[in-house]
Structures are given as structure tokens and as C-alpha cells.
Amino acid sequence: MRILILGGTGEASALVRGLGSRAGLSVTLSLAGRTAAPAREPVPTRIGGFGGAEGLARYLRAHAIDRLVDATHPFAARISRNAAAAAAETGVPLLAIRRPPWIRQAGDAWIEVDTIAQSVDALGVDPKTVFLTVGRMEVAAFANAPQHDYVVRTIEPLGEAMPVPRLTAIRARGPFDEAAETVLMREAGIAVLVTKNAGGNATYGKIAAARVLGLPVVIVRRPWKPDVPSVADAEAALDRLSGTARG
Ligand code: NAP
């Protein structure tokens, strides 16, 4: 069985590691190419866009793919729409890993917004120190609010992506635990955290730390993704695909 996994997430990595060595399976991982040096995975990896839903459908046919797995990030909405459309067009069964969102707990001071632009506005006009963890591709919008001090954490170098007068750039890849996040936010004098509602455990530490410190969190709601057969994590996807392989 030939499986194509659309990745760029911890779930995709866990799935390829789980599937990679199984007999009878030929697994290919697909990455968008946003990360200069992606973690090495034990299966063949292709990098770059397919050319929309039509391009993905062509790829599925050309490589005789039997199963398509959408293990992309909750905020990668376009590739998920393309995956659903390409699967429908080619008849290749699609399984999605849809990581559950974080749910507001007692003590959380969340300000929920729908877009990054709204998260900029939600910071208000008074200058404050902002912990920005929305990803390098999204930070440019915050140049419209240069009155704030920013601590910006990204995986890739920030470069000139965010021209504001006072910025501290941190390069790091999760997971990040609550204790370390609490220390970071306290020592940096953070007044507000901005994040996407990514869900999962790997980056939940900042949400828990903000709760402990009594800080507000501007949290961007998820974009819509198509309703397709899905599971919540890599383990469940592994079970589902192994069942299919055996069957
Ligand atoms: P997106 O807006 O949904 O996709 C934009 C385009 O990038 C797609 O139309 C597709 O190009 C290409 N693409 C996306 N994921 C791909 C994949 N796995 N393999 C091949 N091509 C892919 O996606 P995005 O938000 O830019 O995210 C890009 C990648 O980063 C995804 O793999 C995602 O899992 C990962 N990621 C995203 C975020 C986030 O916050 N958005 C966070 C962490 C990781 P074509 O139309 O030409 O095929």
C-alpha cells in the first residue's frame, strides 16, 4: 500500500516513524518547504507545493497512491481543502489527523479573535510587552503596532520580517514546558501572550504559564477545514492505517 502523508507537524513525524518500518507499506512524506532544515525522517520526503488540488490529484495518480493522510497543522487550511478535493476527484481514501483545539480553563483570560489582524488590534493602543508565538509567516502584521515591545519566538530566523523598534527574537523549536515558559514570561516582563489555537501538548506550556501568571492571552481561532474522516492523533492514525493494511 502506497501512502502519502501531508506533514509539517509533530503528528506527521510520529506517524512516519510508526509506519516507516512496516512491511507492505511504502510511505512518502510531503513538506511545504517552509523550514530550511527540516528534521530528518526515516521515509522518502518530497518538498514543495503540488500546484493546487489539481496538482495534488495528478501526483496521487502518477504515483499510484492508495491512501492520503492529511497530517498538516490546524492553521494550514489551504492544503487541507486541496487534499479533500484531490481525494474526491481521484477516489483515493483520505484520513485526516485533526488535533483537538485548546479549551479555555477556569483562570484563563482569553481574548479570542478570528484573524492575525484582529489579534494586532486586540493588543490595544497602550504600549506593553508582548510575547508573540504565531509563527514567522504571520509576524509582519504586528509592524502596524510598533508602540509595543515584542518578544518573538520562531523556529526559523526572523530576519527582517517584523520591522519594529523594540524586538527580542528567540529561535527555538518546541516542546516547551510550563515551568520554563513561566520563567521566560516572568523574566521578560510579558504583559500579554499572542498565539494561534494550535492545540496539542507540545506548546501548551505557554497557555498554562499565562494562567499561572494571570496574563491575558490573545488567541486566534482556527480556520475552517473540510469535514473528512479523521482521528485526533498519530497513534489513532497508525491504528487506522495498520487495520487497512492488514485488511
Ligand atoms: P497552507 O496555507 O494550507 O498551504 C499553502 C500551500 O502550501 C498549499 O496550497 C500547498 O501548495 C503548499 N503546502 C502546504 N502544506 C504542504 C505539504 N505538507 N506538502 C506540500 N505542499 C504543501 O499551509 P501553511 O499554513 O503555509 O503551512 C505550510 C506547512 O507548514 C504545512 O505543511 C503545515 O503543516 C506546516 N505548519 C503550518 C503552521 C501554520 O501555523 N500555518 C504551523 C506549523 C506547521 P500547492 O497548492 O502548490 O500544493
Side-chain angles (χ1 to χ4, degrees), residues 5-9 30-35 46-53 55-56 71-80 82 134-135 137-138 155 196 225:
I5 299 174
L6 305 172
T9 58
S30 175
L31 300 176
R34 305 283 190 271
T35 309
R46 64 160 302 288
I47 296 181
F50 296 94
L56 178 54
T72 59
H73 190 269
F75 280 75
R78 194 169 348 144
I79 187 71
S80 293
N82 292 351
V134 293
M137 308 298 285
E138 313 278 14
I155 295 175
K196 296 171 173 172
K225 287 206 181 203

Side-chain angles (χ1 to χ4, degrees), residues 95-181:
L95 177 66
I97 302 181
R98 299 271 195 257
R99 187 194 298 170
W102 295 320
I103 304 293
R104 188 196 297 245
Q105 310 275 313
D108 282 335
W110 285 9
I111 302 158
E112 293 190 80
V113 296
D114 288 314
T115 63
I116 290 288
Q118 288 174 6
S119 75
V120 179
D121 293 342
L123 294 175
V125 289
D126 294 338
K128 46 186 75 76
T129 302
V130 180
F131 187 23
L132 200 53
T133 64
V134 293
R136 180 176 53 99
M137 308 298 285
E138 313 278 14
V139 296
F142 291 86
N144 292 329
Q147 72 273 29
H148 305 301
D149 286 27
Y150 290 96
V151 176
V152 187
R153 184 168 64 199
T154 54
I155 295 175
E156 293 291 297
L158 197 53
E160 301 301 309
M162 192 180 158
V164 290
R166 290 169 308 279
L167 181 148
T168 305
I170 301 175
R171 268 184 75 190
R173 189 191 292 268
F176 304 106
D177 70 26
E178 177 184 336
E181 296 288 60

Side-chain angles (χ1 to χ4, degrees), residues 178-212:
E178 177 184 336
E181 296 288 60
T182 306
V183 170
L184 186 159
M185 288 162 74
R186 187 182 283 133
E187 288 185 352
I190 298 298
V192 55
L193 165 69
V194 184
T195 180
K196 296 171 173 172
N197 191 336
N201 295 328
T203 59
Y204 187 72
K206 61 191 170 187
I207 302 287
R211 186 186 309 133
V212 167

Side-chain angles (χ1 to χ4, degrees), residues 3-8 12-13 16 27-33 35 38-48 50 59:
I3 303 177
L4 177 67
I5 299 174
L6 305 172
S13 299
V16 295
V27 179
T28 301
L29 175 66
S30 175
L31 300 176
T35 309
R40 284 180 67 82
E41 304 291 359
V43 300
T45 303
R46 64 160 302 288
I47 296 181
F50 296 94
Y59 182 98

